[in-house]
Amino acid sequence: MNLRRSATHAAFWGLAQKWGYHAVRLLVFVVLARLLDPASFGVVALAGVFVLLGEMLVDQGFADALVQRTAVGPAHLDSAFWASFAIGVMLTAGCVLFAGPLAAVFDEPRLAPVLRALGPVLLITSLSRTHEALLRRELAFKRIAKISLASVAVGGAAGLWLAMLGYGVWALVAQLLVQRLVQLPCLWFSVAWRPRLRFSLPHFRALARFGVNVVGINLLNVANRQADHLLIGYFLGSTVLGYYTVGYRLIRILLDLLPQAIMPVAFSAFSRLKAEPVRLREAFYEATRVMALGAFPAFCGLALLAPAVTEVVFGPQWAPSASVMQVLTAIAALQSISLLCPAALKALGRPQWVLLITAANAVANVAAFAIAVHWGIVAVAAAYAVRGYLLWPLTWTALDRLVSLSPRRYLGALMPALVGCGVMAFAVRGIASGLPGDWGAFARLLALVPMGAVVYVAAAFTVAPAQCRALAHQVLQRHPVQEARS
């Protein structure tokens, strides 16, 4: 019960961190979308692929290894810190040296200066990962949330200021750099531990045995999520990639607001239950139910209202992005619940299983994207969705072997959200058809979004009243909960 309350408390602050983080980022993105052309967004998207790849290499899986281990000593922390720092230095230098050749490969000269400017992000990241891992290990997500919100607010203010001065793409670059520069000292001052000038090869190897699988998983996840960007940028150009990037943006934000915000909490909580598979299985069912209830209606509503949302948020010039957004909601809904399986598998000490499954998904993704890219960005989005549903049973089956999942219990956890979305979709379609034809996109959203939300909540409570009441009680409870200590 203490772990459940601590995890609920941590999840709340994890969500607060993500909501604040993405509220600021979305504000900056919307301003830039009205100031920049699609080709500029394509350049930033290409540079972002390489920076994200570098961040995965900087971490080397040491953060998750520190969270997962039962006992962690100073030698583990020092070894992880200096290994990450050394990799961060090398990757930052690599961004500077290889920016030109990469720009030549993609025939995009503007890529080189953007990539060089973002290179220091990797060095800054390397200096903060160990400290953040210590906070995650303690389920201290309240402190992480405060640091994240403060840093993203300062970074967002810098980005907006430069955008209004007409600096365009460089506003987004400055936003990320300032954010990381603010975040670094805040993390250091939130943790009592300080690195010492020592490196233990045995302790490094102990972390690396777990971390090598995690970094492999993360790299393959980059391939899963970014191969479409690289192929679109290479074959179709920066302008088309800009439309695809904008169509993907709200999907990515919604995934980060709920599923990705819960993942660190789920992994930390599952890690504490790794010796009790029955309790872990029950926690998995509960997390699945909570995830589905929160994520499914968001993606269903976005699929129904994508054209209006695109016009209101980004402007009518981004209309081609709406179709991409609608198709991607299908795979996003599945990802929102399927991410819990890898978290449980890693907590149970099976990161190598996740690595193999992720490798299969990455190979299938790249092959599907390479074929579909010749038919345009909507075909690429559809290939992504189809691949996801075809290979999803691999992850579920792997977890089933360890904790004996029940398909009936799992479907029961999803049923309130599925029924609620079905009723909501029917109601929104019916109401939309009866609205006056001269209503603009903003007026239609103003009428349909609240109505859809009310219908969804009513339908979900009708199907599973006890579960929904229990969830509402957990979310609304005001009892202070002490952050769990390892």
Side-chain angles (χ1 to χ4, degrees):
M1 180 59 68
N2 288 336
L3 176 59
R4 177 178 178 180
R5 296 176 68 186
S6 296
T8 301
H9 184 67
F12 168 79
W13 283 105
L15 287 172
Q17 171 197 351
K18 290 292 184 179
W19 277 88
Y21 176 85
H22 285 290
V24 175
R25 288 197 66 188
L26 180 59
L27 175 61
V28 174
F29 190 86
V30 168
V31 172
L32 292 174
R34 297 178 181 276
L35 297 174
L36 302 178
D37 60 296
S40 297
F41 276 93
V43 172
V44 174
L46 280 176
V49 173
F50 297 107
V51 172
L52 180 59
L53 177 63
E55 288 189 313
M56 297 299 101
L57 292 172
V58 163
D59 181 75
Q60 288 293 302
F62 296 142
D64 280 352
L66 292 172
V67 173
Q68 193 269 345
R69 286 184 66 86
T70 303
V72 171
H76 290 105
L77 300 173
D78 293 335
S79 302
F81 177 85
W82 291 114
S84 296
F85 176 71
I87 296 168
V89 171
M90 291 187 291
L91 291 175
T92 299
C95 280
V96 175
L97 293 174
F98 294 103
L102 286 171
V105 169
F106 287 90
D107 193 24
E108 182 52 78
R110 291 178 294 176
L111 176 62
V114 171
L115 191 55
R116 290 191 185 105
L118 288 174
V121 168
L122 303 177
L123 180 60
I124 299 169
T125 299
S126 71
L127 294 170
S128 62
R129 284 295 171 88
T130 306
H131 295 77
E132 186 175 353
L134 283 172
L135 293 177
R136 286 173 51 200
R137 180 178 173 83
E138 298 176 354
L139 287 179
F141 287 90
K142 180 177 180 179
R143 274 179 280 170
I144 294 175
K146 290 180 177 179
I147 293 169
S148 178
L149 291 175
S151 60
V152 77
V154 176
L160 283 174
W161 179 58
L162 290 178
M164 292 175 182
L165 291 177
Y167 283 89
V169 171
W170 297 106
L172 191 57
V173 174
Q175 178 201 9
L176 182 57
L177 283 170
V178 172
Q179 176 191 332
R180 295 300 172 83
L181 286 171
V182 173
Q183 188 179 47
L184 177 61
C186 292
L187 285 170
W188 274 61
F189 285 114
S190 295
V191 177
W193 173 81
R194 294 292 179 268
R196 298 176 61 184
L197 286 173
R198 63 179 177 182
F199 183 85
S200 169
L201 189 58
H203 290 82
F204 170 80
R205 287 174 176 168
L207 295 174
R209 279 194 294 269
F210 184 93
V212 68
N213 293 287
V214 175
V215 73
I217 294 165
N218 290 338
L219 290 174
L220 290 169
N221 278 329
V222 172
N224 277 332
R225 296 175 185 172
Q226 304 297 329
D228 48 354
H229 290 70
L230 288 175
L231 289 169
I232 291 171
Y234 185 81
F235 286 104
L236 303 180
S238 297
T239 299
V240 177
L241 177 57
Y243 286 121
Y244 186 85
T245 301
V246 170
Y248 205 148
R249 176 54 60 125
L250 285 182
I251 299 293
R252 190 71 258 163
I253 287 175
L254 288 176
L255 282 171
D256 285 343
L257 287 179
L258 186 60
Q260 293 291 355
I262 298 299
M263 283 307 103
V265 180
F267 175 61
S268 299
F270 290 161
S271 294
R272 297 195 178 194
L273 297 173
K274 59 180 178 288
E276 304 176 73
V278 174
R279 289 185 64 198
L280 190 150
R281 182 178 63 222
E282 295 303 313
F284 174 77
Y285 290 143
E286 182 172 357
T288 299
R289 179 170 58 252
V290 172
M291 196 76 77
L293 282 169
F296 281 15
F299 293 118
C300 179
L302 189 58
L304 293 168
L305 304 173
V309 170
T310 302
E311 180 178 344
V312 170
V313 176
F314 302 115
Q317 69 272 25
W318 295 99
S321 301
S323 298
V324 173
M325 190 183 300
Q326 287 177 310
V327 174
L328 288 174
T329 56
I331 184 61
L334 177 65
Q335 287 178 340
S336 66
I337 56 170
S338 64
L339 287 171
L340 289 167
C341 289
L345 288 172
K346 288 193 295 181
L348 289 165
R350 298 295 193 278
Q352 66 273 21
W353 291 14
V354 183
L355 177 63
L356 293 173
I357 294 168
T358 308
N361 279 276
V363 171
N365 257 349
V366 173
F369 293 154
I371 296 171
V373 71
H374 301 288
W375 281 273
I377 53 178
V378 176
V380 172
Y384 190 17
V386 171
R387 187 279 315 159
Y389 279 90
L390 289 177
L391 296 187
W392 171 74
L394 289 176
T395 311
W396 197 90
T397 302
L399 184 59
D400 178 47
R401 291 185 59 184
L402 297 177
V403 297
S404 299
L405 295 174
S406 165
R408 183 182 62 81
R409 291 283 307 280
Y410 191 73
L411 182 60
L414 298 177
M415 191 56 63
L418 291 174
V419 173
C421 286
V423 175
M424 180 183 72
F426 180 81
V428 168
R429 287 286 190 184
I431 296 170
S433 64
L435 294 178
D438 58 348
W439 277 27
F442 182 77
R444 297 178 74 84
L445 290 179
L446 201 60
L448 295 175
V449 171
M451 184 61 66
V454 170
V455 171
Y456 171 78
V457 171
F461 264 91
T462 300
V463 174
Q467 295 175 350
C468 291
R469 278 196 297 269
L471 175 60
H473 175 71
Q474 292 178 34
V475 173
L476 297 175
Q477 63 181 342
R478 300 185 180 275
H479 302 294
V481 181
Q482 294 294 327
E483 293 173 353
R485 300 289 178 182
S486 59

